[in-house]
């Protein structure tokens, strides 16, 4: 569908480029849940994965295409069509076939194919001459176009490609039927001036360029991804490829929230629109961080815990007199509530339901009953419950509800006397209960050993981090962990760009006022992912599309 020239399409690649970052592995149900969140957020295109990578990747894209790709979106402005669902493919027939098969159930499917065009990539990675690259692009884009009307082509490492050759490749892609030309700065090498000139050169020198959408895709190796993306947009690009929280390999991709909020906050400068509901930004940021087990750095723009916090006395004084003194965006614009006292321990179910609805949670009766029970437990321990607390409580509830094995109880004894000991009670998928006790070097270690004794999933704990949701000694703690499965238990994954395979690691998340409980939940959810991945592989042969 054509869009006015002042509209920038947001192409989200959290589930593809973002998920490629080591440790951000997501299960198929998590990908589906995230895709639903991205659709609610209002992204125009969801790059749902790299279908040829594995049956699991294929299945993830297929399910998203089937469900999210066919569900119209509601909103203040009325119903809008489902997002375009895109699958990535190297420039080979097998990759393109897999991508097409995975996205074709969507109402608006897209195939995204790519081939490197920089001298260094052509010589050392592809072992192809420029003329061979040119011919392959024309052939593979035409092949994709014969399957799917919407084809995106990316000249990989465009940032280090020779412009004159790039123009020829892009022209060939247009002639072969590409509808979007995406210009990646694959290694995050360019500066904003260079990238703006690159896009301006393409706009001026590629015949037929006005018939297609020009897109930008920047990596953050020099911390310039957002600046480069905005420079490309200024030069005429009308699609930005981004990830939530800037997730991605190495230093990550351009952060969705940064580009969207720059266009929104500096509207007089850019005079450009997006379809993003900015009030959903905080929520989707939490979801991605929880599901990937990748915490957001506190000083991260827009979504970091400190992004709207004003510590210095002089700032606070100014803020009390007029918010605009130090705040260029209202926290509410990104869906962040500053409300302190929300509800107390005497608040009823109706008050909780109303507040949760105001925060954008639409819970069923049973979910609300559980949320109310959890709320009462926390209200008994914590004087003030803020919106941030409520959000974490419900997010944790939803996250834990998807677990195969869940924590039903935990008791620890620790301190300077005696051996740290933990007893855990777990519920299994058939409703069965397991009770196990273990000693360890501390309470977390003891709890993890007890869980290991029950589940027997050999792994290495790579990372463990604790974060308080709000200030105060009684704050809810969020714990994220990252686990590496034992060698060989889960197949390695191939990177679409380098063709190299790397071991996958899995994140886990838990929240509670008791950080030992939060730690146990986080570990258990990470293990659940390993179990799900293993079970999935065992069933793989039976999967039919
Ligand atoms: O960074 C890159 O070049 C990519 C391409 C596949 C578009 O991710
Ligand atoms: Zn990339």
């Amino acid at each position: 569908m054509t869009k006015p020239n002042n509209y920038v399409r947001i192409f989200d690649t959290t589930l593809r480029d973002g998920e490629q970052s080591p440790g951000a592995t997501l299960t198929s149900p998590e990908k589906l849940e995230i895709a639903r969140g991205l659709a609610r957020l209002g992204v125009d295109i969801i790059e749902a994965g790299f279908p040829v990578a594995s049956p699991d990747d294929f299945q993830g894209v297929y399910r998203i295409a089937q469900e999210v790709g066919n569900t119209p979106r509601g909103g203040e402005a009325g119903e809008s069509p489902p997002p375009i669902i895109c699958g990535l493919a190297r420039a080979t027939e097998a990759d393109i076939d897999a991508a097409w098969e995975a996205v074709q159930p969507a109402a608006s499917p897209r195939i995204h194919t790519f081939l490197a065009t920089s001298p260094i990539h052509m010589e050392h990675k592809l072992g192809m001459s420029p003329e061979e690259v040119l011919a392959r692009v024309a052939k593979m884009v035409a092949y994709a176009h014969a399957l799917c009307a919407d084809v995106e082509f990316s000249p990989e490492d465009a940032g280090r490609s020779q412009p004159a050759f790039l123009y020829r490749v892009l022209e060939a892609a247009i002639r072969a039927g590409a509808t979007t030309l995406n210009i990646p700065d694959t290694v995050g090498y360019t500066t904003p001036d260079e990238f703006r000139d690159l896009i301006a050169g393409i706009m001026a020198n590629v015949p037929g360029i006005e018939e297609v959408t020009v897109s930008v895709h920047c990596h953050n190796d020099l911390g310039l991804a957002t600046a480069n993306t905005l420079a490309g947009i200024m030069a005429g690009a009308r699609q930005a490829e981004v990830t939530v929280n800037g997730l991605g390999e190495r230093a990550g991709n351009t952060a969705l929230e940064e580009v969207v909020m720059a266009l929104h906050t500096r509207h007089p400068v850019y005079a450009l629109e997006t379809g993003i509901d900015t009030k959903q930004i905080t929520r989707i940021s939490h979801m991605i961080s929880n599901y990937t087990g990748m915490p957001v750095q506190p000083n991260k723009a827009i979504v970091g815990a400190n992004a709207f916090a004003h510590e210095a006395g002089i700032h606070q004084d100014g803020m009390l007199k007029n918010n605009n003194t130090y705040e260029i965006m209202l926290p509410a614009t990104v869906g962040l509530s500053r409300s302190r006292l929300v509800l107390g321990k005497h608040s009823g179910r109706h008050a909780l339901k109303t507040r949760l609805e105001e925060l954008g949670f639409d819970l069923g009766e049973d979910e609300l009953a559980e949320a109310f029970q959890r709320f009462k437990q926390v209200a008994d321990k914590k004087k003030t419950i803020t919106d941030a607390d409520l959000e974490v409580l419900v997010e944790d509830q939803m996250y834990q509800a998807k677990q195969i094995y869940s924590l039903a109880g935990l008791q620890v004894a620790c301190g300077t006397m005696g051996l740290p000991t933990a007893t855990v009670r777990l519920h299994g998928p058939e409703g069965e209960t397991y009770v196990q006790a273990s000693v360890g070097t501390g309470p977390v270690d003891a709890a993890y050993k007890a869980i290991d004794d029950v589940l027997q999933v050999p792994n290495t704990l790579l990372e463990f981090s604790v974060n308080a949701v709000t200030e105060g000694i009684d704050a809810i703690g969020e714990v994220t962990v990252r686990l590496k499965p034992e060698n060989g238990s889960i197949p390695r994954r191939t990177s679409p760009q380098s063709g190299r395979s790397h071991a996958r690691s899995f994140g886990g998340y838990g929240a509670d006022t008791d950080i030992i409980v939060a730690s146990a939940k986080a570990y258990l959810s990470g293990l659940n992912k390993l179990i799900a991945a293993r079970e999935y592989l065992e069933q793989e042969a039976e999967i039919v599309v």
Side-chain angles (χ1 to χ4, degrees):
M1 197 193 293
T2 52
K3 295 272 187 190
N5 196 34
N6 68 344
Y7 187 88
V8 178
R9 288 178 172 83
I10 298 297
F11 175 116
D12 183 276
T13 184
T14 308
L15 294 175
R16 199 278 296 169
D17 223 349
E19 210 241 352
Q20 256 171 250
S21 58
T25 317
L26 296 162
T27 61
S28 284
E30 286 173 338
K31 287 181 189 171
L32 186 58
E33 192 72 32
I34 290 173
R36 289 185 190 125
L38 291 170
R40 254 196 321 270
L41 177 70
V43 307
D44 301 271
I45 302 109
I46 297 176
E47 185 162 54
F50 176 44
V52 85
S54 71
D56 193 14
D57 288 86
F58 179 92
Q59 199 66 15
V61 179
Y62 188 85
R63 283 198 199 156
I64 291 170
Q66 252 182 338
E67 192 208 293
V68 182
N70 285 291
T71 310
R73 299 179 268 193
E76 281 164 17
E79 202 168 84
S80 61
I84 293 170
I85 308 297
C86 175
L88 183 72
R90 289 167 298 197
T92 67
E93 289 174 7
D95 273 36
I96 293 171
D97 286 343
W100 171 237
E101 229 185 296
V103 297
Q104 56 85 20
S108 304
R110 174 180 292 186
I111 298 174
H112 177 192
T113 187
F114 71 99
L115 192 64
T117 51
S118 64
I120 184 167
H121 275 229
M122 288 190 291
E123 184 184 340
H124 297 286
K125 182 175 104 164
L126 300 177
M128 288 169 79
S129 71
E131 292 311 312
E132 285 169 334
V133 165
L134 198 60
R136 171 88 74 87
V137 169
K139 189 166 171 208
M140 288 302 117
V141 171
Y143 185 79
H145 185 61
L147 299 170
C148 181
D150 187 348
V151 176
E152 172 167 328
F153 170 71
S154 294
E156 193 192 4
D157 204 18
R160 293 188 297 172
S161 300
Q162 287 169 349
F165 178 61
L166 198 54
Y167 303 156
R168 288 178 65 209
V169 172
L170 295 176
E171 184 184 354
I174 295 174
R175 283 181 192 275
T179 42
T180 297
L181 293 179
N182 176 49
I183 311 303
D185 181 20
T186 303
V187 289
Y189 180 71
T190 61
T191 65
D193 286 349
E194 286 167 352
F195 200 65
R196 186 198 50 222
D197 291 350
L198 179 68
I199 302 299
I202 289 168
M203 303 305 284
N205 292 296
V206 177
I209 198 77
E210 58 296 335
E211 304 299 326
V212 301
T213 301
V214 175
S215 167
V216 285
H217 175 118
C218 299
H219 282 263
N220 204 28
D221 298 65
L222 293 173
L224 294 173
T226 299
N228 286 346
T229 298
L230 292 170
I233 289 171
M234 281 301 234
R238 286 296 175 267
Q239 175 176 289
E241 300 206 349
V242 292
T243 60
V244 175
N245 299 340
L247 197 68
E249 275 186 290
R250 308 185 310 275
N253 287 58
T254 307
L256 177 149
E257 62 277 8
E258 294 176 11
V259 172
V260 167
M261 289 314 291
L263 296 178
H264 181 93
T265 309
R266 305 303 310 277
H267 193 267
V269 174
Y270 294 103
L272 293 169
E273 317 295 332
T274 70
I276 298 296
D277 173 4
T278 59
K279 292 192 290 307
Q280 301 278 339
I281 284 178
T282 300
R283 183 134 170 234
I284 192 86
S285 164
H286 285 173
M287 185 192 246
I288 301 295
S289 166
N290 296 349
Y291 282 16
T292 57
M294 297 258 184
V296 173
Q297 77 193 54
N299 56 332
K300 164 82 184 62
I302 320 293
V303 292
N306 294 349
F308 292 94
H310 297 271
E311 276 295 336
I314 189 166
H315 286 197
Q316 286 180 353
D317 182 51
M319 289 282 294
L320 289 175
K321 290 178 180 144
N322 182 340
N323 282 1
N324 292 335
T325 47
Y326 287 100
E327 203 163 66
I328 61 165
M329 295 166 272
L330 290 176
T333 315
V334 295
L336 187 66
S337 168
R338 277 252 179 85
S339 161
R340 296 248 121 239
L341 178 75
V342 180
L343 302 162
K345 70 176 178 182
H346 301 297
S347 307
R349 204 154 127 118
H350 186 70
L352 177 71
K353 181 170 190 278
T354 308
R355 191 63 200 137
L356 288 176
E357 279 170 3
E358 283 162 4
L359 291 172
F361 292 102
D362 182 16
L363 302 190
E365 272 310 302
D366 290 350
E367 289 170 329
L368 181 66
E370 190 185 335
F372 186 59
Q373 199 192 351
R374 283 169 156 247
F375 161 72
K376 283 285 181 190
Q377 280 166 0
V378 176
D380 271 344
K381 297 182 195 153
K382 197 172 183 301
K383 274 197 284 293
T384 52
I385 297 190
T386 65
D387 283 344
D389 292 325
L390 276 188
E391 277 169 359
V392 166
L393 277 184
V394 177
E395 280 161 7
D396 180 65
Q397 174 185 329
M398 292 184 174
Y399 189 72
Q400 301 304 332
K402 296 189 185 70
Q403 305 301 322
I404 308 171
Y405 293 89
S406 59
L407 186 73
L410 171 69
Q411 194 179 346
V412 293
C414 60
T416 52
M417 315 278 283
L419 285 174
T421 310
T423 307
V424 296
R425 193 165 67 244
L426 307 183
H427 281 162
E430 314 291 337
E432 69 276 27
T433 300
Y434 305 87
V435 179
Q436 184 69 38
S438 186
V439 293
T441 52
V444 174
D445 185 50
Y448 283 18
K449 287 199 166 116
I451 293 171
D452 281 341
D453 287 344
V454 177
L455 297 186
Q456 311 267 346
V457 184
N459 72 87
T460 309
L461 179 65
L462 298 178
E463 276 173 41
F464 174 91
S465 76
V466 186
N467 183 38
V469 175
T470 47
E471 67 270 33
I473 197 75
D474 56 359
I476 294 181
E478 289 182 293
V479 174
T480 47
V481 298
R482 190 181 324 289
L483 309 177
K484 189 165 95 128
E486 187 182 51
N487 266 351
S489 61
I490 291 174
R492 295 161 73 84
R493 174 187 266 169
T494 307
S495 155
Q497 288 100 342
S498 67
R500 279 198 292 268
S501 72
H502 56 83
R504 299 195 218 184
S505 58
F506 294 75
Y509 168 81
D512 204 280
T513 45
D514 181 323
I515 60 162
I516 311 296
V517 174
S519 305
K521 284 184 185 173
Y523 186 57
L524 202 48
S525 66
L527 291 180
N528 273 307
K529 284 195 188 178
L530 299 191
I531 293 168
R534 230 172 39 186
E535 284 180 359
Y536 185 84
L537 291 170
E538 281 157 15
Q539 293 162 8
E540 208 174 89
E542 294 162 28
I543 290 164
V544 259
V545 294

